């Protein structure tokens, strides 16, 4: 089975960082969150892949989690940032090297309170269906 982990994570990172609205609202978008990062920020991952072959072509069904982190009281800031993430990803075109993207759909999200009571966290999942380009 071929994997789209690296090119899919790269494509999502590029899509999110190309969103002017999102980047105006956050300190950064991260795969690996640095120590002492400033709030608010977005982190990408984990990613789960499953084979989803069609006829004569290899396919993948990927479930990608995107996290929004905020230290503002209440959930308003996190919700606004999530809306910008969703506008950038849900049902939007995505270019993944070596793959044809069939669809990107927002599947679900949760608004959570972190173990640190000052931190708000939204965990959103996106289903990405891909077919091998070659």
């Amino acid at each position: 089975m071929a994997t789209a982990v690296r090119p899919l994570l790269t494509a999502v990172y590029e899509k999110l960082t190309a969103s002017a609205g999102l980047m105006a609202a956050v300190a950064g978008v991260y795969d690996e969150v640095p120590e002492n990062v400033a709030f608010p920020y977005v982190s990408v991952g984990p990613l789960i892949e499953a084979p989803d072959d069609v006829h004569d072509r290899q396919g993948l069904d990927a479930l990608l989690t995107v996290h929004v982190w905020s230290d503002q009281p209440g959930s308003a800031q996190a919700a606004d940032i999530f809306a910008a993430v969703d506008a950038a990803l849900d049902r939007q075109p995505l270019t993944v090297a070596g793959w044809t993207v069939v669809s990107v759909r927002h599947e679900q999200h949760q608004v959570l309170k972190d173990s640190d009571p000052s931190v708000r966290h939204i965990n959103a999942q996106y289903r990405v269906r891909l077919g091998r380009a070659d």
Side-chain angles (χ1 to χ4, degrees), residues 44-133:
V44 178
L47 171 66
I48 300 168
E49 287 182 330
D52 191 23
D53 296 352
V54 292
H55 303 293
D56 63 344
R57 200 163 78 154
Q58 187 176 31
L60 288 173
D61 181 1
L63 188 61
L64 172 70
T65 304
V66 178
H67 302 269
V68 173
W69 301 91
S70 169
D71 64 351
Q72 292 297 304
S75 298
Q77 182 185 53
D80 290 346
I81 294 168
F82 167 65
V85 167
D86 200 56
L89 294 177
D90 187 42
R91 302 170 196 264
Q92 296 303 309
L94 188 65
T95 302
V96 177
W99 296 87
T100 300
V101 176
V102 176
S103 65
V104 179
R105 301 282 169 96
H106 171 220
E107 189 147 298
Q108 68 176 356
H109 64 277
Q110 296 176 290
V111 180
L112 305 166
K113 291 185 180 178
D114 195 69
S115 57
D116 176 344
S118 67
V119 175
R120 294 296 183 266
H121 173 204
I122 295 179
N123 141 347
Q125 293 183 321
Y126 291 85
R127 174 115 12 227
V128 183
R129 292 203 161 89
L130 307 116
R132 190 80 176 157

Side-chain angles (χ1 to χ4, degrees), residues 13 17 20-30 33-34 36-43 68-71 77 81:
Y13 175 83
T17 56
L22 176 61
M23 294 312 293
V26 297
V29 174
Y30 304 99
V33 180
N36 302 315
V37 67
F39 286 95
Y41 64 90
V42 170
S43 59
V68 173
W69 301 91
S70 169
D71 64 351
Q77 182 185 53
I81 294 168

